[in-house]
Amino acid sequence: MELRIALAGNPNSGKSTLFNGLTGSNQYVGNWPGVTVEKKDGTYKKDKSLKLIDLPGIYSLSPYTLEEVVSRDYLLKESPDAIINVVDASNIERNLYLTTQLAELGIPVIIALNMMDVVRKNGDQINIKALKEGLGCEIVEISALKGENVDHLMDVAKKVAEEHQKTGVITHVHEFNEEVESYIRQIEDNVQALRDNKNHRWYAIKLFESDPKIEDKINVTSDEKEFIKKLQEDADDKLDDDGEGIITDARYEFVTNITHKNVKKAKEGMTTSDKIDRIVTNRILALPIFAGIMFLVYFITIKVLGTPMSDWVNDVFVAEILQGNAGAWMDSAGVAPWLASLVNDGIIGGVGAVLGFLPLIVVLFILLAILEDVGYMSRIAFILDRIFRKFGLSGKSFIPVLIGTGCSVPGIMATRTIENDQDRRLTIMVSSFMPCSAKTEIIALFAGSVFTGRWWFGPLCYFAGIAAVIVSGIIIKKTSMFAGDPAPFVMELPQYHFPSYRNVIRSTYDRSKAFVIKAGTIILLAALGVWLLQNISVDFEFHTFDQDSKDSILSAIGKFFSPIFIPLGFGNWIATVASALGLVAKEVVVGTMGVLSGIGEVESGDANAIALATRLFTPASAMAFMIFNQLNVPCFAALGAIRTEMNSAKWTWFTVIYQTVFAYTIALMVYQFSSLALGGAFTVWTGVAFVVLLAYIYLLFIKKPNSSKRKVKEEAALQE
Ligand code: GDP
Ligand code: MG
């Protein structure tokens, strides 16, 4: 007989550690249907009849965040045979708020009192027996990190689940104060649909709270609605709060009571973690320390390990070993040139583009996993959140943006550490605006030619990137898709500890694998498509891509589309084709222009570079070209990463369209305004640029639609 057991608990309570420990390699990581919240399924490695599911980390079962909705929909619709509620014993008071909600679902709850190693080390005392009685459920003390007592936990869970299956009896649940209980009871007694519903208490509470997602799930007649409304008005008179507020307060009251009686902290003094936090989250030191650590991550990933390894993969492994040998072999075997080119440039080149990113990604993910496991990641979010909130981003958005300055692909992948769905999507959309290392080649081209001696050109590109992130954050947050409340910032700061190599390896492996599989397919297809376009001429003959390829399909397309870029100042077919090929990889933009213009090899600052840049661009159009290529969809590899991380075609398209429109309009303003400033005439397009400017100002300053006061209250209460 198979039993399904769900793991639920606050973020950072140790669910994933427990889940990984219990399932070992018997787990499957996917996504909840239709959303990007991660879903982990598995079986208990010592008893295959126990199916486990790791629910998203949540602080409550309210309907405000996607994680909460996913968790509660699963619990209500699938009704698993038991819930293991993972509770951080070193932070028990806050964790039990969720416990009170889980216990009302009509599903047996077993509390896994985790982090007991920390509790013991601190010397805190917890009266387990009294807690058990007060909460009405089994409690098993464990340490997920050290694997202590977890098998016993599973024995208890199995027994409880089987018992419940046989008898259907739920041990009594906690009770709120008499006043609140009487409101709940009156709803239970007067709503017909609740009479034979096994979750009657849960629904009664939700009806009293006027939970918007529940009202249409249960059949309530208009008379009954009227009755509930009367109760709520009565309660508002007496307790001066709405239904949801009253229940929230009642929960806190219950939890505070029970913990004050039964949990005794040994030292009033500080734990080691508190001492570290005094320095690390200190008002003055926090940011410099953070900057130092981030610099180190960036430095190791991009400079020390990642890029040299990626270069080796690209230049030696793919180019010399794979393409060199394949080329020589195909030559000697007399393979037709078009086929040889397809295999070498199209297929091996395409796969190589994916492989080349892999070392970067693996190094980055190992470092991030260590920071995460040590407990520093939650501090980063804590430190930066106040600043980032102002731009509609979360504290955790910083890392992807920073990493994106090296390469967008690992930057986008780094958004995985952002738990909130909306924050993650938004960060994915903006993290590629920074100039990545490939884009710096374009910067270098112009810095050494059109802008020689203008030291500010390079830094300007970085500032433009930062400004683009901030402006987009503010604007996108105002669209209806992000109209929900920002996720409240309640963050457990877990105790620091040495990273577990198993956690680090597991998360690095999962993340890298996802990239290779999904991004790989997109990049390969795209590379093949581009190969076709640039090597086949308009009369369907094969040419290799060089000066003569003026009549390749790609060039024809370039010529066709180049007028689009006239308002941006670079409406020539060479710049158009180069921008299009930039979608394959930004590294090829400069080289392509060299080839197509017949100038040949271009090195930053050399005579060819100067000839090329001055022939094709003016200062104003160079600036616009730079900005357009910097803000536009980065490259196919990044697009693959976006697709993987968004896990939704709709959101991928939205990102592509947003980035294209954003890049185009900003470049338009850059070109038109700088032309005007440099003494150009006022044209129709200058007018259009002013209209666009007004539109951006309007979008930046209109008010965001509603925001709920409830969340603010819950947040305030949690932060006490
Ligand atoms: P989740 O967010 O609930 O999935 O929590 P994680 O499993 O990611 O754990 C959060 C942090 O707590 C990680 O750094 C874990 O290594 C750590 N952790 C988990 N269980 C224990 C435990 O029993 N003792 C200690 N000291 N740390 C733990
Ligand atoms: Mg987790």
Side-chain angles (χ1 to χ4, degrees), residues 12 375-382 396 489 491-494:
N12 281 320
Y376 186 65
M377 206 64 103
S378 25
R379 270 80 183 177
I380 297 181
F382 177 76
K396 290 188 174 184
F489 191 72
M491 165 70 66
E492 234 26 90
L493 295 181

Side-chain angles (χ1 to χ4, degrees), residues 12 15-17 40 54-55 57 419:
N12 281 320
K15 278 180 296 83
S16 298
T17 309
K40 279 182 164 183
D54 188 18
L55 294 177
E419 270 162 4

